[in-house]
Amino acid sequence: MTLSRDMLEASPVASELPVEAVAAAIDACLASQQSCVSCADSDLAEDDVTAMARCVALCVTCADVCTLTPRTLSRRFAANHGVTHHVLRACVLTCTDCAEECERHAAHHRHCALCAQACRACAHACEALLQAEAFAQLQKLAGA
Amino acid sequence: MTLSRDMLEASPVASELPVEAVAAAIDACLASQQSCVSCADSDLAEDDVTAMARCVALCVTCADVCTLTPRTLSRRFAANHGVTHHVLRACVLTCTDCAEECERHAAHHRHCALCAQACRACAHACEALLQAEAFAQLQKLAGA
Amino acid sequence: MTLSRDMLEASPVASELPVEAVAAAIDACLASQQSCVSCADSDLAEDDVTAMARCVALCVTCADVCTLTPRTLSRRFAANHGVTHHVLRACVLTCTDCAEECERHAAHHRHCALCAQACRACAHACEALLQAEAFAQLQKLAGA
Amino acid sequence: MTLSRDMLEASPVASELPVEAVAAAIDACLASQQSCVSCADSDLAEDDVTAMARCVALCVTCADVCTLTPRTLSRRFAANHGVTHHVLRACVLTCTDCAEECERHAAHHRHCALCAQACRACAHACEALLQAEAFAQLQKLAGA
């Protein structure tokens, strides 16, 4: 899926952030958004619901954060770097929590194994973007 | 992107709908969700904002419907066919509206050309699913 | 809360639907949105999670539909009556499902009793709006 | 609207945060969520769309953050304080941006005047909650 990259490149507004890193984070969030909604639903249908309760809660929250993050990253006009920063940090935290919990059930529930992978990938993509953002700010300071 | 298909196949709940068609609609919605958020943002930064106002409004609405649809389609436990049906119909209508408007600007704004394609593809994937749903109901009646 | 009514009345776009009925549906949806998110979370923390699994699933879905509905109803510019109609019908169905399930647990879980009330009220407000919409269309036909 | 407070009080999970402050922030977010969706729509229908483009962009973003914040605040089970903290900070920033822009148009567009008030109130309620959160952490340290 490179549509998100094409969309970013078609924007009339320039960005300091590398477009590949932003597109990668958007795509990773969209994947997690879906995997978390689906994993929470599957968890509720498993025989061991009690053992899965925490997984449901984390997946439901992660799906919501992974809905806001790609929206925030897709917008450049009137974007506020502080908002982007805090949204990315919330996304890294919630994806990491969710991945850790899903990993605990990965051996016996395939939906958890798949969702854990998607959440890990999303946390990494958002962390990479936070680093790119910090680097862009350093470059600005060095140029000033 | 076949993660959504893998997630559906890992669900402990059976479904009457063909998994490829559901996964295709989910993926098409996620693509439209992103393209519509991005297109609305780009529209607002263009010189001819007045001419783009309707495009912004339709993209913003389409992004919201394309956020609900994949969530609805990803859930099988306690799913209500009527809810799925009405969400799919709302999605076909809003994606068609949005595609038509974006097509009017496709020649001069690449983001509109890309978004129009994504919305057309999403409308088709959701229509295909509505047909699959009607067919599944007919088969039930024939079996009864 | 009359802010939603004030916002609708401040819109430069006229609407055929009675503003009180639209505002009432918006407010009822916002209340259900919150009660369903909260009820799903409380359900997961109860001792009898297995018995609450269906309630979690219905609340999670209802919260999502009750997020889209007030957004759809708050928009008049470029609004598509078909989209509004199908969103309202999905909302009535999901709120009714959710209210019925919450009512089953109302005697022993206060969050379910409160959520059931909010969902019933939302279903009624959306049904009233569907009737107002049908009446507006009849008046148009009679005038033609 | 005290439903959100009643819902929080009915939760089986204890919280360190004062329930009135959390409920006030939830209610303020729900109000901003609606006012921002409505204000963006009204902006697009005004004659001076070009002058309103920034207001549309900020309202659309603010509506999305004000959709995530009350969901995050309504959940206690498996809640991550870091996620709550970053979501609240993103919410204060985006509500403040949006209020400032809406205030610039408040004299000639009533929807902007109303939306500015709702966003200011939301920023204050979220700031109050961030202070309550910091105070709760200090108390923990003092007790340890």
Side-chain angles (χ1 to χ4, degrees):
Chain A
M1 188 169 160
T2 59
L3 175 62
S4 55
R5 183 176 173 162
D6 289 343
M7 289 301 303
L8 293 170
E9 283 176 345
S11 169
V13 186
S15 165
E16 305 167 330
L17 294 175
V19 73
E20 317 82 52
V22 180
I26 289 173
D27 292 350
C29 284
L30 293 175
S32 285
Q33 181 191 125
Q34 194 277 328
S35 74
C36 286
V37 170
S38 189
C39 192
D41 183 77
S42 291
D43 290 343
L44 289 168
E46 297 290 355
D47 291 334
D48 55 339
V49 194
T50 309
M52 305 309 294
R54 198 175 139 78
C55 194
V56 175
L58 290 169
C59 281
V60 165
T61 294
C62 196
D64 286 352
V65 178
C66 287
T67 297
L68 179 64
T69 310
R71 286 181 173 239
T72 305
L73 296 177
S74 297
R75 293 174 182 140
R76 291 183 176 180
F77 184 65
N80 177 320
H81 293 298
V83 174
T84 307
H85 179 83
H86 288 295
V87 168
L88 281 171
R89 290 192 62 185
C91 200
V92 169
L93 290 173
T94 195
C95 284
T96 303
D97 276 1
C98 195
E100 281 173 7
E101 182 64 24
C102 280
E103 279 157 9
R104 294 183 54 231
H105 310 286
H108 43 289
H109 294 313
R110 183 160 158 71
H111 50 83
C112 288
L114 292 165
C115 190
Q117 277 187 313
C119 291
R120 280 282 173 221
C122 189
H124 291 159
C126 291
E127 265 167 12
L129 202 51
L130 282 165
Q131 286 175 2
E133 185 203 41
F135 186 71
Q137 287 177 348
L138 277 176
Q139 278 191 310
K140 259 200 206 168
L141 287 173
Chain B
M1 188 170 164
T2 59
L3 175 61
S4 55
R5 181 174 174 163
D6 290 344
M7 289 301 302
L8 292 170
E9 283 176 344
S11 169
V13 186
S15 165
E16 305 167 332
L17 294 175
V19 73
E20 318 82 52
V22 180
I26 289 172
D27 292 350
C29 284
L30 294 174
S32 286
Q33 181 191 125
Q34 194 277 330
S35 74
C36 286
V37 170
S38 189
C39 191
D41 184 77
S42 291
D43 289 343
L44 289 168
E46 297 291 354
D47 293 333
D48 55 340
V49 193
T50 309
M52 304 309 293
R54 196 174 141 80
C55 194
V56 176
L58 290 170
C59 281
V60 165
T61 294
C62 195
D64 287 351
V65 178
C66 287
T67 297
L68 179 64
T69 310
R71 287 181 172 239
T72 305
L73 296 177
S74 297
R75 293 173 183 141
R76 291 184 176 178
F77 184 64
N80 177 321
H81 293 297
V83 174
T84 307
H85 179 83
H86 288 296
V87 168
L88 281 172
R89 290 191 62 183
C91 200
V92 169
L93 289 174
T94 195
C95 283
T96 304
D97 275 1
C98 195
E100 280 173 7
E101 181 65 23
C102 280
E103 278 158 10
R104 294 184 54 229
H105 310 286
H108 44 289
H109 294 314
R110 181 160 159 72
H111 49 83
C112 288
L114 292 165
C115 190
Q117 278 186 313
C119 291
R120 280 281 174 220
C122 189
H124 291 160
C126 291
E127 264 167 12
L129 203 50
L130 281 166
Q131 287 174 4
E133 186 203 41
F135 186 70
Q137 287 178 347
L138 276 177
Q139 280 191 308
K140 260 199 206 169
L141 286 175
Chain C
M1 189 167 163
T2 58
L3 175 61
S4 55
R5 183 178 172 159
D6 290 344
M7 289 301 303
L8 292 170
E9 283 177 344
S11 169
V13 186
S15 165
E16 305 167 331
L17 294 174
V19 73
E20 318 82 52
V22 179
I26 289 172
D27 292 351
C29 284
L30 294 173
S32 286
Q33 180 190 126
Q34 195 277 329
S35 74
C36 286
V37 170
S38 189
C39 191
D41 184 76
S42 292
D43 289 342
L44 289 167
E46 296 292 354
D47 293 332
D48 55 340
V49 193
T50 309
M52 305 308 294
R54 196 174 141 80
C55 194
V56 176
L58 290 170
C59 281
V60 165
T61 294
C62 195
D64 287 351
V65 178
C66 287
T67 297
L68 179 63
T69 310
R71 287 182 173 239
T72 305
L73 295 177
S74 296
R75 294 173 181 140
R76 291 184 176 179
F77 184 64
N80 177 320
H81 292 297
V83 174
T84 308
H85 179 83
H86 288 295
V87 168
L88 281 171
R89 291 192 61 183
C91 200
V92 169
L93 289 174
T94 196
C95 284
T96 304
D97 275 0
C98 196
E100 281 174 6
E101 181 65 23
C102 280
E103 278 158 9
R104 295 184 53 230
H105 311 285
H108 45 288
H109 295 314
R110 182 161 159 70
H111 48 83
C112 288
L114 292 165
C115 190
Q117 277 186 313
C119 291
R120 280 280 173 221
C122 189
H124 291 160
C126 291
E127 264 167 13
L129 204 50
L130 281 166
Q131 286 174 3
E133 187 203 42
F135 186 70
Q137 287 177 348
L138 277 177
Q139 279 191 308
K140 260 199 205 168
L141 287 174
Chain D
M1 188 166 161
T2 58
L3 175 61
S4 54
R5 183 177 172 160
D6 290 343
M7 288 301 303
L8 293 170
E9 283 175 345
S11 170
V13 187
S15 165
E16 305 167 332
L17 294 175
V19 73
E20 317 81 53
V22 179
I26 289 172
D27 292 349
C29 284
L30 294 174
S32 286
Q33 181 190 125
Q34 195 277 327
S35 74
C36 286
V37 170
S38 189
C39 192
D41 184 76
S42 292
D43 290 343
L44 289 167
E46 296 290 355
D47 292 333
D48 55 340
V49 193
T50 310
M52 305 309 293
R54 197 175 141 78
C55 193
V56 176
L58 290 169
C59 281
V60 165
T61 294
C62 196
D64 287 351
V65 178
C66 288
T67 297
L68 180 63
T69 310
R71 286 181 173 238
T72 305
L73 296 177
S74 297
R75 293 174 182 140
R76 291 183 176 180
F77 185 66
N80 177 320
H81 293 297
V83 174
T84 307
H85 179 82
H86 288 295
V87 168
L88 280 172
R89 291 192 61 185
C91 200
V92 169
L93 290 173
T94 196
C95 283
T96 304
D97 276 1
C98 194
E100 281 173 7
E101 181 65 23
C102 280
E103 279 158 9
R104 296 183 53 230
H105 311 285
H108 44 289
H109 294 313
R110 183 161 158 71
H111 49 83
C112 288
L114 292 165
C115 190
Q117 277 187 313
C119 291
R120 280 283 173 219
C122 188
H124 291 159
C126 291
E127 265 167 12
L129 202 51
L130 281 166
Q131 286 174 4
E133 186 203 41
F135 186 70
Q137 287 177 346
L138 277 176
Q139 279 190 309
K140 259 199 205 167
L141 287 173

